[in-house]
Amino acid sequence: MMQESESIDLEAERAWLEPLLREKIPLAGTMDLRISRLDPTGIQLDFPLAPSVNDKGSAFGGALASAMILAGWSLPRLLLRRQALAAELVIGRCELRFLKPVHGAYSAVCEWPDPADRLHFLQGTAERGKGRLALDARILCAGEVAAALQARYAALIVKHG
């Protein structure tokens, strides 16, 4: 397994991840997702309001949920890629809290899990064919947290044959 101290080209990962999200997950493209930050602390996905607006002129709750799920999904997807693990990545469960309406462009933010949790996720995936990783994401709008998500993602090794 790659060690945390090994050099990771985050710009190359960003260049790989954004088209993956926009093209392989059509909803992300429709929502006009853009990765504004991918760094050692985490990821930030930016979204304009227009594709997600509801009848009240604010962001539709389902769009906010999707944005947070995508932010969380992106980090374990990158971890799997770094280890060349062919695994399907799914969300196993989540809990959402909507704290305030979103009336403008917004961002979905998720921080990297701690190194021990990363290692446990990758070892479980490689050794047992299934790894789990808990992540928290949030929606930011105008500098304030508007929604929060606690989720558990699962990686399942792809079996060939």
Side-chain angles (χ1 to χ4, degrees), residues 75-83 112 118 122 133:
L75 298 181
R77 172 51 54 209
L78 289 170
L79 292 173
L80 293 167
R81 181 175 186 259
R82 290 174 186 173
Q83 298 299 320
W112 287 104
R118 294 185 212 188
L122 292 169
L133 187 62

Side-chain angles (χ1 to χ4, degrees), residues 9-155:
D9 185 346
L10 291 168
E11 195 52 44
E13 287 191 331
R14 178 180 173 171
W16 172 81
L17 181 60
E18 187 169 306
L20 174 76
L21 290 169
R22 292 179 59 85
E23 295 165 14
K24 298 293 184 184
I25 303 173
L27 177 63
T30 300
M31 292 172 63
D32 200 16
L33 170 152
R34 300 280 183 230
I35 299 175
S36 62
R37 180 179 60 82
L38 177 60
D39 62 25
T41 65
I43 192 166
Q44 179 173 322
L45 309 178
D46 290 343
F47 301 86
L49 177 62
S52 304
V53 75
N54 64 20
D55 60 324
K56 295 164 209 52
S58 59
F60 178 64
L64 298 177
S66 295
M68 290 184 288
I69 289 169
L70 287 166
W73 182 91
S74 295
L75 298 181
R77 172 51 54 209
L78 289 170
L79 292 173
L80 293 167
R81 181 175 186 259
R82 290 174 186 173
Q83 298 299 320
L85 289 171
E88 294 294 333
L89 183 62
V90 298
I91 186 165
R93 67 171 174 80
C94 70
E95 181 179 325
L96 296 161
R97 287 180 297 130
F98 297 100
L99 306 170
K100 55 181 60 183
V102 171
H103 292 289
Y106 59 94
S107 300
V109 177
C110 188
E111 278 80 35
W112 287 104
D114 69 55
D117 290 340
R118 294 185 212 188
L119 183 60
H120 186 260
F121 168 71
L122 292 169
Q123 285 178 332
T125 304
E127 296 169 8
R128 294 182 302 282
K130 183 175 187 179
R132 292 189 179 104
L133 187 62
L135 292 166
D136 295 336
R138 63 194 181 283
I139 295 292
L140 300 176
C141 183
E144 296 186 19
V145 176
L149 168 108
Q150 293 179 312
R152 186 173 66 204
Y153 295 85

